[in-house]
Amino acid sequence: MPASLDNLLVVGISSRALFDLEAEEQIFRTQGLEAYRQHQLDNENEILKLGAGFALVRALLKLNALTPNQRFVEVVIMSRNSSETSMRIFNSIQHYGLDITRAVLSGGAPLAPYLQAFNVSLFLSLHEDDVQAAINSGVASALLYQKPGNAFEELEQIRIAFDGDAVIFSDESERIFQTQGIEAFENHERENALKPLPEGPFARLLKALSFIQKNFRNTDGRAAPIRTALVTARSSPAHERVIRTLRAWDVAIDETFFMGGLAKSDVLAAFKPHIFFDDHPGHCDRAAPLVQTGRVPLIHRPEA
């Protein structure tokens, strides 16, 4: 039987997100494809430095070593490079000992059409067009900010922090807040407190992480290999619907912060996530100097 990626947490990551390719990106933008191609060929034995998504990928791949003969995570390199210019990427993967064997090398073509083919649960990139196309296709996707100074600090746990509305949950309630104001939003949430929130683009990822967590249940949750946090601008009375929704999904968030409009940065600095996902550019801009951050674009819906 052919190999299957079913029942695995599959992370698709661009080569520029995994490794620092900013100098190469500048060559491509200013000198063109041929100069970029020649640079990569001339330097294919030069090991690349670590990129914004490296720490998260390295941490997730360690999950596969915790249980004999059972894999939880698969990472797929997804790049617009051609196979000719990709040797430097593979040499760097081998140098850092990353258990990555699969790749999509599209030769300049869009990557989004291949996400479903590889059962990708999370797509990370520094190319906004690819991230937008991925989120529109229903895949949890984020545009990575450049890494903060502490990005490669070794942590005992994989720590992932999420915003709520428009990330874990749909943007339905967020749109009420944006168009009608806080009072209408709170009334809506109070009236619908017993009705689970619709799933957002990262609900599937959260559920996959929760499933993996259940394989490592212990009496001290602090010792579990994955720890999650919800850091949301919501506050009472809008808290109840969130709590009831997570119960309905059978998902336990380890730490929850109802910020009530306060800045999230200090809480995130204390939690120390490998990555924080938020849809709001302002929240991302403030968090990015402190923790690795990924901005989740809003789903572009066809005009009615």
Side-chain angles (χ1 to χ4, degrees):
M1 291 183 63
S4 172
L5 296 178
D6 293 343
N7 301 318
L8 290 172
L9 172 60
V10 182
V11 178
I13 185 167
S14 72
S15 54
R16 187 174 158 220
L18 184 62
F19 298 117
D20 185 345
L21 284 160
E22 295 314 294
E24 288 72 15
E25 179 72 8
Q26 186 66 14
I27 291 171
F28 175 74
R29 290 184 180 279
T30 60
Q31 301 178 44
L33 179 60
E34 181 54 34
Y36 170 83
R37 170 185 170 276
Q38 193 59 52
H39 176 83
Q40 290 295 71
L41 293 177
D42 292 344
N43 292 276
E44 67 179 29
N45 292 318
E46 291 292 322
I47 300 303
L48 292 163
K49 295 179 180 178
L50 311 184
F54 185 92
L56 175 66
V57 164
R58 178 175 60 185
L60 286 171
L61 285 171
K62 288 181 178 179
L63 289 172
N64 293 330
L66 297 180
T67 303
N69 304 316
Q70 183 173 5
R71 291 182 71 83
F72 295 99
V73 176
E74 193 73 24
V75 175
V76 180
I77 288 291
M78 307 195 75
S79 171
R80 292 198 182 201
N81 276 274
S82 65
S83 57
E84 181 185 30
T85 58
S86 66
M87 278 301 298
R88 192 178 182 193
I89 297 166
F90 286 110
N91 289 341
S92 298
I93 288 171
Q94 183 177 16
H95 171 81
Y96 291 113
L98 299 177
D99 180 17
I100 300 175
T101 60
R102 293 181 169 86
V104 174
L105 305 169
S106 70
L111 296 170
Y114 303 106
L115 296 171
Q116 300 290 350
F118 282 82
N119 197 35
V120 170
S121 311
L122 172 65
F123 176 64
L124 302 172
S125 176
L126 274 73
H127 287 285
E128 190 158 5
D129 289 349
D130 284 336
V131 173
Q132 186 67 63
I135 205 87
N136 291 347
S137 71
V139 176
S141 310
L143 182 72
L144 293 189
Y145 283 58
Q146 291 297 338
K147 58 185 181 293
N150 62 351
F152 306 118
E153 178 183 348
E154 287 284 356
L155 300 173
E156 294 181 0
Q157 294 175 311
I158 300 163
R159 291 178 164 241
I160 302 178
F162 300 90
D163 179 32
D165 294 290
V167 178
I168 294 176
F169 314 118
S170 83
D171 66 347
E172 174 189 284
S173 298
E174 174 75 9
R175 282 184 279 128
I176 292 173
F177 172 72
Q178 294 293 340
T179 58
Q180 301 177 45
I182 184 65
E183 186 175 348
F185 165 77
E186 289 183 349
N187 287 337
H188 179 268
E189 295 307 286
R190 190 182 291 109
E191 292 166 2
N192 290 277
L194 301 181
K195 180 181 178 182
L197 285 153
E199 292 186 2
F202 276 65
R204 177 187 170 201
L205 173 64
L206 179 64
K207 291 178 180 181
L209 292 171
S210 180
F211 175 80
I212 294 173
Q213 285 178 303
K214 289 173 183 176
N215 283 270
F216 298 99
R217 284 191 184 279
N218 54 52
T219 56
D220 179 7
R222 295 177 184 273
I226 301 175
R227 194 165 183 84
T228 55
L230 171 63
V231 187
T232 173
R234 285 176 177 246
S235 60
S236 177
H239 68 291
E240 182 178 355
R241 195 176 184 197
V242 168
I243 294 170
R244 292 186 181 279
T245 297
L246 294 172
R247 283 182 187 172
W249 292 356
D250 192 27
V251 167
I253 294 275
D254 296 296
E255 301 188 30
T256 304
F257 304 92
F258 293 105
M259 302 299 297
L262 295 176
K264 302 178 181 182
S265 308
D266 289 344
V267 162
L268 291 168
F271 181 67
K272 293 185 177 181
H274 282 88
I275 195 165
F276 166 57
F277 296 110
D278 199 301
D279 69 297
H280 195 286
H283 295 163
C284 292
D285 291 343
R286 287 187 288 272
L290 302 173
V291 300
Q292 184 59 62
T293 300
R295 180 169 62 81
V296 180
L298 295 177
I299 298 170
H300 285 174
R301 296 177 175 86
E303 294 293 334

